[in-house]
Amino acid sequence: MGWRLFGYAVILGGTAALLQWLDYLHAIRSMPGDIYVAVLAIGFMALGLWAGNRLTRRRASAIPFERNDAAIRSLGLSPRECELLALLASGRSNKELARELGISPNTVKTHLARLFDKLDVGRRIEAIEKARMLALIE
């Protein structure tokens, strides 16, 4: 990551030096200001898109996801709690979870409380993180 960052710094420094050189040659002064701003904006937008694409490209996993059934048994999770945990990772509210499962919102709260106790967490995000760490959900 350090060499990549150094490379980007060199590219940006070289671009800044090129712009100074063009300024001294009066090439930029002969262009209208709006065109200069548009060209500069397009250049930085292209650089940002390229850098974002390179740095955030997701690699396809060669190994398919396998749920950790041993962890489910050791934690004592019921099939309904596993189903709720998978839906919880989708970011839905209690009402949406209840609608999806065909149960009342109070039952969802009860299931969540039991799930939090079994996973030894206090919040939804902690439950999702721990479930992913234990390979309970994808």
Side-chain angles (χ1 to χ4, degrees):
M1 185 71 179
W3 285 107
R4 193 177 278 175
L5 185 62
F6 178 75
Y8 292 134
V10 168
I11 290 170
L12 288 175
T15 305
L18 176 66
L19 287 174
Q20 282 293 80
W21 179 71
L22 289 173
D23 188 45
Y24 285 115
L25 293 177
H26 303 289
I28 293 177
R29 290 184 186 153
S30 66
M31 297 171 75
D34 293 341
I35 293 174
Y36 169 68
V37 170
V39 168
L40 192 61
I42 289 170
F44 277 111
M45 182 181 67
L47 179 65
L49 289 172
W50 175 80
N53 188 29
R54 289 283 294 194
L55 296 174
T56 61
R57 184 175 296 152
R58 293 186 182 238
R59 293 174 178 84
S61 177
I63 303 169
F65 175 74
E66 287 187 35
R67 188 167 28 169
N68 187 352
D69 293 326
I72 291 173
R73 283 191 303 274
S74 70
L75 291 171
L77 296 178
S78 69
R80 184 61 117 180
E81 289 169 337
C82 291
E83 186 180 5
L84 182 66
L85 189 57
L87 290 173
L88 188 65
S90 67
R92 298 178 187 176
S93 68
N94 285 353
K95 278 187 178 180
E96 292 169 328
L97 293 172
R99 216 174 292 128
E100 179 77 23
L101 296 172
I103 56 179
S104 75
N106 288 333
T107 306
V108 169
K109 289 178 190 177
T110 303
H111 284 312
L112 286 176
R114 287 188 196 144
L115 192 61
F116 291 173
D117 283 342
K118 289 178 181 181
L119 291 174
D120 193 29
V121 295
R123 296 175 171 229
R124 288 174 176 238
I125 192 70
E126 292 172 357
I128 294 168
E129 286 175 358
K130 189 159 187 179
R132 286 192 175 139
M133 183 185 70
L134 295 172
L136 302 177
I137 59 174
E138 195 169 356

